[in-house]
Structure formats: structure tokens, C-alpha cells
Amino acid sequence: MPASKAKTSTKAGDKDTLEPTLSFEQAFAELEGIVAQMESGQMQLEASLKAYKRGNLLLALCQQSLADVEQQVKVLNERQQLTSFNTND
């Protein structure tokens, strides 16, 4: 499954999109919380579906962040110096 760019939020508290300023660490921590809640088996069906959708968005953001960092490391290894990596290239 390819990682996709995260959508930006248009209204505060909208859990179907991701905030553009959400860091990898914040996304990963929220994802861990969602997984723990779902594994508890105490969520209602609708809440589970909503959490699953949010988790997928967070996972995509984390995967993209890791891919970007991996690309930066490749550039560093090839040139022996770290250069800025533009995700639009």
C-alpha cells in the first residue's frame, strides 16, 4: 500500500483530515492510542470505524515522513553531505 500525502484540515477538530503541522511523533503517538483503544474491544462499531479511518490517515502521514527521511539519508550517503530534500521533486 503506497503512502499518500496527508490531507490538511479545514476546520478545527475535524478528525477525517490531518493538520498540516502534525509532526511524525504526534501522529505516531495518536496512532498508538487508537490501536490501544481498538485492541481493548470496548469501542462501539461506529467509533471503531471512525478510529480506523483516522488511523489510516495517521499511518499514511507516518509512512510518508519516514520515506522522506529515508530519501534524505540516501542523498547524504551519495554526496557525503546532508542536503535539503524537496518532496515536490
Side-chain angles (χ1 to χ4, degrees):
M1 168 168 81
S4 61
K5 299 262 185 211
K7 298 176 186 175
T8 57
S9 182
T10 55
K11 56 185 175 179
D14 185 356
K15 293 293 183 182
D16 290 335
T17 58
L18 295 176
E19 299 77 19
T21 58
L22 197 63
S23 72
F24 172 83
E25 290 79 8
Q26 291 168 323
F28 191 76
E30 186 178 343
L31 183 57
E32 284 183 318
I34 289 171
V35 170
Q37 287 177 344
M38 292 182 78
E39 286 179 342
S40 74
Q42 301 300 314
M43 296 179 78
Q44 297 291 325
L45 181 60
E46 268 188 50
S48 292
L49 180 59
K50 198 171 190 179
Y52 179 81
K53 288 178 181 180
R54 177 69 177 176
N56 274 338
L57 290 172
L58 292 165
L59 178 61
L61 178 102
C62 289
Q63 287 174 330
Q64 187 61 51
S65 294
L66 290 173
D68 290 348
V69 169
E70 182 179 11
Q71 183 60 36
Q72 285 182 350
V73 169
K74 286 179 183 177
V75 169
L76 171 64
N77 288 339
E78 291 171 2
R79 298 183 185 156
Q80 300 301 317
Q81 64 185 29
L82 188 59
T83 60
S84 296
F85 173 68
N86 186 351
T87 57
N88 295 328
D89 289 344

